[in-house]
Amino acid sequence: MAFLEANNIQKSFGETKVLRGIDFSMERGEVVVIIGSSGGGKTTFLRCLNFLETPDVGTISVGGEEIFNAAVQYTDAQEREKRLRFGLVFQSFNLFPQYTARENVAMPLALRLFERRSSGLSYHEKRQLKKTVRIEAHERADEVLAEVGLADKKNLYPYQLSGGQCQRVAIARALALSPDILCFDEPTSALDPELTGEVLRVIKSLKSGDRTMIIVTHEMAFARQVSDKVMFIADGVIEEMGSPEEIFDHPKSEKLQAFLHNEEL
């Protein structure tokens, strides 16, 4: 059984049908890169997986557990818990400017730990729990900041960091929550060309036997290097999917051939 399965994912915005029926699966530890032209549905599909958009039709399962069914109504608490199965790194960093890199990484984790452990506690017990989870979250933040090469920058504020360093803080923030699947939405599109390489190197270093990742990118050389599979989405459907060699060296679809030709120009 596949680790992640998405079946017949459809999504419309008004009269515009953006996703027309996406069927997709991947194994634990795989890295799948999604490519395609702007407006084809790449980001919408990623946002549907992360519960930032609600599919009109379809189901999503992780580890054999159905976590979304368009026919079911979920509470806000249920949606929040399901969303935590995924970690998403956005195009923009979305860091809080008034907090250090360490605090930006630790805060979401501390809130999650407190929410999970605070049920039924007294006022004084909750105050003590806040201190406990804050210490845990900061220790975890130190670990993941070191993993992305920013151990020496943890006490700096976003304005003191480069764009590439800010994006690495955003990656560390997603890692801190230990998601089942780590997702990236054009993680270098907001960066100057000279800063793109450092972020791509960090993402490449995260690839391991047990880290499952989905990456939307326009960096074709990077896609070839890091992916186990490449998915080409066009006009709301998966037009073609295969190994990097199949997609880049032997494309079958005319749409994929045209897309790759335009990328080379």
Side-chain angles (χ1 to χ4, degrees):
M1 179 181 292
F3 183 57
L4 169 65
E5 289 187 280
N7 297 307
N8 195 27
I9 300 298
Q10 300 181 35
K11 179 65 180 177
S12 296
F13 296 99
E15 297 298 316
T16 304
K17 195 153 192 172
V18 179
L19 300 179
R20 300 174 179 272
I22 299 286
D23 292 302
F24 165 72
S25 65
M26 66 185 297
E27 303 299 327
R28 184 189 291 274
E30 274 192 322
V31 177
V32 173
V33 172
I34 304 176
I35 62 174
S37 302
S38 297
K42 307 185 304 297
T43 293
T44 299
F45 177 59
L46 203 63
R47 289 177 65 85
C48 284
L49 289 178
N50 284 267
F51 296 93
L52 297 178
E53 299 288 354
T54 302
D56 303 320
V57 178
T59 62
I60 300 170
S61 299
V62 176
E65 175 191 355
E66 184 177 272
I67 64 170
F68 175 79
N69 187 321
V72 177
Q73 291 288 329
Y74 299 100
T75 66
D76 290 343
Q78 287 174 324
E79 286 194 358
R80 284 199 304 274
E81 192 64 26
K82 293 173 186 296
R83 189 177 293 132
L84 290 171
R85 304 293 292 270
F86 296 84
L88 179 59
V89 179
F90 297 90
Q91 296 179 25
S92 55
F93 324 127
N94 294 331
L95 302 181
F96 292 104
Q98 70 271 35
Y99 297 122
T100 64
R102 190 188 196 207
E103 291 166 334
N104 265 283
V105 173
M107 188 187 311
L109 178 57
L111 291 172
R112 177 187 181 184
L113 293 174
F114 182 80
E115 182 178 27
R116 285 187 165 181
R117 300 177 188 175
S118 60
S119 179
L121 298 183
S122 67
Y123 171 76
H124 292 293
E125 288 172 330
K126 286 182 178 180
R127 288 191 64 182
Q128 182 57 46
L129 178 61
K130 284 184 178 180
K131 296 177 182 178
T132 301
V133 299
R134 178 177 171 80
I135 292 171
E136 288 184 32
H138 277 80
E139 289 176 348
R140 175 63 174 156
D142 290 345
E143 291 176 5
V144 292
L145 284 169
E147 188 172 358
V148 299
L150 291 176
D152 60 337
K153 307 291 185 184
K154 66 181 182 180
N155 293 318
L156 299 185
Y157 291 87
Y159 79 89
Q160 297 174 303
L161 301 171
S162 69
Q165 290 169 337
C166 284
Q167 189 62 295
R168 283 192 276 161
V169 173
I171 294 171
R173 179 177 57 193
L175 287 172
L177 294 167
S178 301
D180 292 318
I181 301 161
L182 187 59
C183 303
F184 298 85
D185 183 16
E186 297 281 14
T188 61
S189 64
L191 301 177
D192 294 332
E194 63 267 24
L195 300 176
T196 294
E198 69 177 79
V199 173
L200 295 182
R201 284 192 294 273
V202 167
I203 296 173
K204 192 174 180 180
S205 74
L206 296 177
K207 183 176 180 178
S208 67
D210 61 354
R211 185 163 278 146
T212 310
M213 297 191 289
I214 302 174
I215 306 168
V216 171
T217 185
H218 62 276
E219 301 284 346
M220 295 300 108
F222 169 70
R224 180 191 285 268
Q225 292 169 9
V226 78
S227 62
D228 296 304
K229 293 179 183 175
V230 180
M231 179 197 305
F232 172 60
I233 292 183
D235 301 321
V237 299
I238 299 176
E239 182 74 16
E240 194 166 335
M241 185 167 179
S243 68
E245 293 76 16
E246 290 170 331
I247 294 297
F248 292 111
D249 297 334
H250 308 287
K252 300 173 183 176
S253 160
E254 291 183 3
K255 290 182 180 179
L256 176 55
Q257 293 170 10
F259 171 76
L260 294 175
H261 177 72
N262 289 335
E263 287 294 311
E264 292 173 355
L265 295 178

